[in-house]
Amino acid sequence: FLGSFNTYEAAVPMSRISDWRWFWNGFYTYLLLREGANREALAAKLPEFAERYLGPKMREMRMFYTFSLQPLGDIYLHSDLRYEIQATGSMDTVIIFATIGVLVLLIACINYMNLATARALRRTKEVGIKKILGATKGDLVRHFLLEAVLVAVMSLLVALLFLELARPFISELTGKPLENIFSRNSLGLLTGITLFVGLSSGLYPALFISSFKPISMVKSWRSTASGILVRKGLVILQFAVSIALLVGIGVVWNQMEYIRSKDLGFNKEELLILNQNGFSEVNEGIDPFREELLANPAISGVATSRGLIVGGLSNSHIETVDGSGKPVSTSIYQHEVGLEYLDVYQMQVLAGRSFVPTDTGSAYIVNEAAVRVLGWGSPENALGKPFGVGSRTSQVIGVVKDFHFSSLENPIEPVAVSLARPRQFSRISVRLGGAQLDETIMFLEQTWRKHFPQALLQYSFMNDRLDRQYQPQKIFGKVFLVFVMLSLVVACLGLFGLASYATEQRVKEVGIRKVLGASVPGVVMLLSADFLRLVFGAFVVGSPVAYFTMSRWLQDFAYRVEIGPGLFLLAGAFAMVIAFVTVGYHAIRSALSNPVEALRCE
């Protein structure tokens, strides 16, 4: 178990913790059940367990605890609790990526079906002769299915080679090592998918080509209206998927930009966090350390706190009154800070005042969310309200603007900020200047070693801590972008092949038009128009799907961007341009060809 947490270098036993520490919840508790143990039966015993050890104290403190069991393997994808040991993933993300992977595979299958049926003209005489010589429709279907499966198998071998070569890139992209793809389970799954893809993509072309009468196939054969209609429908489907993915990556990018630029209620820039790490010499020597830091003009502020504002706040039970004077007993997040904290973090005081040295244990500053939840109406009405925490009786002396202390996936909740006792802190926050950042950090390191030679120095930037909150979303965006690029490339490859066939079928028409005076741009637009209409149809089909899918993804964020029409128009225009460039190569080549070459046989 300890081996999985490679950031830790030591473990300390907890055997000396006495009974009075039952309320200490600053750690994670893991249970190893005996083989065959009934998890539901154990969970049913937890309320009695809590009453036995916590009941009297809970009633005295008017606090409420509940216990439940959670499988360790479910935490990463299925848990959304506070104070997780690290940022968790989401099962919705897994489902989204699995769906996108299937859609990209579907696009590839559509390409095979389109090109196989479009190129059927070149094999009609072969099939007709085989039928005349006695081949049955079943024989032909099996033959073409075997071809499709062989293509899929060769594709699998190439894919495995590419996957092995891209292993470092995939690990860097996802932040996780790529599992062994040559294991029995992985190869079995890949083989099953390969066979399914080969059979499903080859079935329609096999039935299509083998269904014609031998005499007509030997003489001549042209695409039927139904065949053309099917191919057009498949083109619309694959570009609808691509456009939906384009809209999706636009939404993800906009949301990530919104997160990076949103006002958090405090200034996160150039804020350095130092860990106290339990060294008493840091607590005792904080005053001369602070004074020497502030003597450096590149450092504008130093503040202490008992926790970290990002993901490090604890809950406390409070007693107060609402706007009508009725008693209120509830829980609230609490943050204990030093005198300079609000100034260093540049939090805005909306009403009342900041802390003075005599406020320790007797005064609280709350945020706007607390004012709303407790029914005080306005920041001014909150001033002077009683605010009892545990056995202490205090009052509200100020209200600060709401600030985000968890990710934007969660709404801002009530917080009470109090003045910590002197020299009781676990974090030191240092506000740096913008110039000569490396020199300033070097000065800070030297000053730390001078004042605290025995203490471990650990520091990090607030921006980096905030970024770690959104690591799963960042990985989501990167992988999503790769899928979008793959879908576009695969869709364009299919369109490129289909355009080649279409222009080949119309080569004599183009020659006649040129003889009659048609211009090169006119011929290019003539050959491209049909495909551009299909892409427009794909835009109509894919846009609603993208809107509803990405709206659901955004529901995970309490603070999110709106999906505007501009994003859909941009995705549609981009798909149009990509399709025009793809088709344009064949259209321009056909338009520039010598009409005599096309008509000399007539």
Side-chain angles (χ1 to χ4, degrees):
F1 170 76
L2 289 175
S4 63
F5 295 96
N6 53 19
T7 56
Y8 295 99
E9 298 178 356
V12 179
M14 301 176 62
S15 56
R16 296 186 180 181
I17 297 178
S18 55
D19 289 345
W20 67 272
R21 303 301 295 273
W22 275 104
F23 283 87
W24 182 22
N25 60 359
F27 51 85
Y28 298 89
T29 303
Y30 301 91
L31 304 179
L32 180 61
L33 304 188
R34 292 190 179 95
E35 186 176 352
N38 189 321
R39 198 179 87 189
E40 289 73 18
L42 177 59
K45 296 178 180 179
L46 292 179
E48 186 274 331
F49 174 85
E51 175 63 27
R52 186 195 318 161
Y53 291 101
L54 305 176
K57 193 68 175 178
M58 281 197 300
R59 287 188 289 274
E60 177 186 339
M61 299 175 64
R62 298 188 181 182
M63 299 179 73
F64 305 94
Y65 283 81
T66 57
F67 293 87
S68 61
L69 298 176
Q70 183 181 48
L72 189 61
D74 289 353
I75 293 177
Y76 186 74
L77 291 179
H78 300 281
S79 180
D80 190 26
L81 301 176
R82 295 172 182 169
Y83 312 121
E84 296 286 9
I85 199 167
Q86 64 180 13
T88 59
S90 169
M91 193 62 194
D92 285 343
T93 301
V94 175
I95 294 173
I96 288 173
F97 282 145
T99 303
I100 294 175
V102 171
L103 290 176
V104 172
L105 201 58
L106 175 63
I107 292 175
C109 292
I110 289 172
N111 281 346
Y112 184 88
M113 295 165 65
N114 260 336
L115 296 177
T117 53
R119 293 291 181 178
L121 177 60
R122 296 185 175 183
R123 305 191 66 178
T124 52
K125 289 182 173 60
E126 170 198 344
V127 174
I129 292 172
K130 285 182 176 180
K131 279 197 168 185
I132 292 173
L133 294 176
T136 65
K137 182 176 181 179
D139 294 331
L140 294 172
V141 168
R142 283 191 292 272
H143 173 77
F144 288 116
L145 283 179
L146 181 60
E147 284 186 0
V149 170
L150 288 176
V151 169
V153 170
M154 287 187 289
S155 300
L156 172 63
L157 297 177
V158 175
L160 290 175
L161 176 62
F162 281 157
L163 192 60
E164 190 63 28
L165 294 175
R167 183 185 291 270
F169 168 75
I170 295 174
S171 298
E172 182 180 352
L173 180 69
T174 62
K176 299 181 182 299
L178 184 64
E179 296 296 330
N180 181 19
I181 58 175
F182 296 105
S183 66
R184 180 181 300 178
N185 291 337
S186 297
L187 289 178
L189 178 63
L190 290 174
T191 302
I193 293 175
T194 301
L195 293 176
F196 176 78
V197 168
L199 292 172
S200 59
S201 61
L203 183 60
Y204 174 73
L207 294 174
F208 179 79
I209 299 173
S210 62
S211 62
F212 291 92
K213 296 179 180 179
I215 298 299
S216 61
M217 296 177 76
V218 171
K219 291 173 63 178
S220 65
W221 179 78
R222 302 287 294 178
S223 294
T224 62
S226 60
I228 294 173
L229 187 63
V230 169
R231 287 197 295 277
K232 287 183 177 181
L234 293 176
V235 170
I236 290 175
L237 179 58
Q238 65 180 3
F239 265 90
V241 172
S242 297
I243 290 173
L245 292 178
L246 279 172
V247 173
I249 194 60
V251 172
V252 172
W253 188 85
N254 284 345
Q255 180 64 20
M256 291 298 102
E257 283 298 307
Y258 175 76
I259 288 172
R260 280 191 287 268
S261 60
K262 190 178 188 308
D263 179 15
L264 299 180
F266 63 91
N267 186 0
K268 63 182 180 179
E269 305 299 332
E270 296 169 349
L271 194 59
L272 195 70
I273 311 298
L274 300 167
N275 294 343
Q276 180 259 358
N277 284 321
F279 288 95
S280 59
E281 63 175 313
V282 178
N283 298 79
E284 296 300 324
I286 185 62
D287 292 334
F289 176 69
R290 178 193 288 114
E291 291 172 5
E292 185 164 349
L293 289 184
L294 292 175
N296 188 324
I299 296 177
S300 60
V302 180
T304 58
S305 60
R306 294 199 67 178
L308 189 64
I309 194 174
V310 179
L313 304 189
S314 59
N315 272 92
S316 294
H317 181 81
I318 66 158
E319 292 184 7
T320 182
V321 295
D322 62 16
S324 62
K326 295 174 58 177
V328 174
S329 179
T330 186
S331 64
I332 194 172
Y333 283 103
Q334 185 178 0
H335 193 30
E336 295 187 64
V337 303
L339 273 173
E340 306 84 358
Y341 192 87
L342 298 185
D343 292 333
V344 170
Y345 276 73
Q346 299 177 11
M347 293 181 175
Q348 182 181 355
V349 179
L350 302 177
R353 60 175 176 84
S354 190
F355 293 115
V356 296
T358 57
D359 285 332
T360 303
S362 63
Y364 281 86
I365 296 175
V366 299
N367 64 347
E368 294 174 279
V371 174
R372 291 191 297 270
V373 170
L374 295 173
W376 290 337
S378 68
E380 290 74 16
N381 291 340
L383 302 179
K385 288 291 191 295
F387 207 83
V389 179
S391 59
R392 293 186 297 178
T393 302
S394 311
Q395 65 175 353
V396 177
I397 63 166
V399 177
V400 294
K401 181 181 177 181
D402 275 340
F403 57 90
H404 290 271
F405 54 92
S406 63
S407 75
L408 296 186
E409 294 174 304
N410 306 311
I412 296 176
E413 297 187 68
V415 179
V417 184
S418 61
L419 186 63
R421 291 184 175 86
R423 297 181 176 81
Q424 290 194 0
F425 59 88
S426 62
R427 299 289 193 279
I428 304 171
S429 302
V430 181
R431 172 70 62 187
L432 306 179
Q436 300 178 335
L437 189 60
D438 292 339
E439 290 81 352
T440 305
I441 293 178
M442 187 179 300
F443 165 76
L444 189 147
E445 292 175 345
Q446 293 170 352
T447 306
W448 178 279
R449 296 189 184 98
K450 172 184 173 182
H451 288 270
F452 318 121
Q454 304 300 319
L456 173 67
L457 173 59
Q458 284 184 320
Y459 61 83
S460 60
F461 280 95
M462 177 61 73
N463 265 332
D464 294 337
R465 289 181 175 270
L466 290 169
D467 285 344
R468 283 198 291 271
Q469 287 186 322
Y470 303 105
Q471 194 63 24
Q473 287 80 13
K474 285 185 175 182
I475 293 174
F476 178 88
K478 292 178 181 178
V479 178
F480 202 112
L481 179 60
V482 171
F483 273 117
V484 171
M485 295 172 63
L486 280 175
S487 72
L488 282 174
V489 169
V490 175
C492 288
L493 285 175
L495 192 61
F496 186 84
L498 206 57
S500 173
Y501 168 75
T503 54
E504 182 181 311
Q505 292 289 92
R506 302 178 70 175
V507 64
K508 289 184 174 59
E509 174 192 346
V510 171
I512 293 172
R513 288 180 180 273
K514 290 191 69 177
V515 168
L516 295 177
S519 65
V520 170
V523 172
V524 170
M525 287 307 302
L526 172 71
L527 296 176
S528 303
D530 287 343
F531 291 102
L532 295 181
R533 279 193 288 268
L534 296 180
V535 175
F536 178 76
F539 172 77
V540 174
V541 173
S543 294
V545 175
Y547 178 81
F548 288 112
T549 302
M550 297 316 297
S551 294
R552 176 178 175 181
W553 181 75
L554 286 174
Q555 292 303 314
D556 289 338
F557 296 88
Y559 304 91
R560 53 185 176 266
V561 296
E562 296 295 329
I563 306 179
L567 194 59
F568 293 92
L569 294 177
L570 186 62
F574 184 76
M576 283 283 190
V577 171
I578 291 293
F580 182 77
V581 171
T582 303
V583 176
Y585 169 78
H586 293 293
I588 293 173
R589 191 180 67 171
S590 179
L592 292 176
S593 63
N594 187 349
V596 174
E597 295 294 329
L599 299 175
R600 64 182 178 178
C601 297
E602 297 299 322

